[in-house]
Amino acid sequence: ETIVVAWESYYQVAPELLENGFRIINGSWQPLYIVPSYKTRWGVHEILDWNVYNWQHFWSGSKAYENPINVEPTDRVLGAQISAWESTHDEDIGKILESLSTMSERVWNVDLHHTADDFILKMNVTVHRIARLINE
């Protein structure tokens, strides 16, 4: 079996992959990429507005550029991933922990159960604990 990471929405888009029988992982560029050469970085609020069944992209060549791609909830969408490159561990780890915490919240809870402010307070406690573990 082949599991596909659906990320760019240029060649094969999530609905087509699902229709063709693949299980997929959401690797939506926007808001899940951390790339310093691209000036926009999507943070907690943008990721909280996203969900695991949604693909977005800032690139005009993407089919998800002007209109995000959404699929109906299905167990064939296995989860999501954060992608980060072009930086060192020290430069990226804080951004990754913040984005990963928020992405995990949205993968596990497709419907938001609290406000962004409440989530950020809880996330900051968790990220601080994880950062301490990493630095030990």
Side-chain angles (χ1 to χ4, degrees), residues 10 51 56 64 68 72 79 85 92 96 98-100 129-130 133:
Y10 181 67
N51 72 59
Q56 303 170 40
E72 292 295 318
W85 68 78
D92 267 350
I96 291 169
E98 179 184 278
S99 294
L100 185 59
R129 288 178 182 164
I130 294 169
L133 290 171

Side-chain angles (χ1 to χ4, degrees), residues 2-36:
T2 301
I3 296 171
V4 177
V5 177
W7 61 283
E8 193 171 47
S9 300
Y10 181 67
Y11 298 104
Q12 296 289 320
V13 294
E16 292 170 0
L17 292 164
L18 293 169
E19 287 171 15
N20 288 316
F22 291 100
R23 294 191 305 159
I24 63 176
I25 295 170
N26 187 328
S28 179
W29 188 293
Q30 182 180 337
L32 302 179
Y33 273 60
I34 301 169
V35 184

Side-chain angles (χ1 to χ4, degrees), residues 34 41 43-44 47 82 89-105 108 118-136:
I34 301 169
R41 178 177 171 266
V44 172
I47 298 172
I82 295 285
H89 170 272
D90 291 339
E91 293 168 333
D92 267 350
I93 193 63
K95 297 171 196 160
I96 291 169
L97 290 176
E98 179 184 278
S99 294
L100 185 59
S101 297
T102 312
M103 181 201 72
S104 297
E105 173 68 19
W108 297 331
D118 288 341
F119 173 78
I120 290 168
L121 287 173
K122 293 175 185 177
M123 179 199 68
N124 285 338
V125 171
T126 303
V127 166
H128 180 71
R129 288 178 182 164
I130 294 169
R132 272 197 326 233
L133 290 171
I134 290 171
N135 291 323
E136 286 183 358

Side-chain angles (χ1 to χ4, degrees), residues 55-68:
W55 282 260
Q56 303 170 40
H57 206 303
F58 67 89
W59 174 51
S60 63
S62 171
K63 294 175 185 169
Y65 172 62
E66 291 183 342
N67 298 304

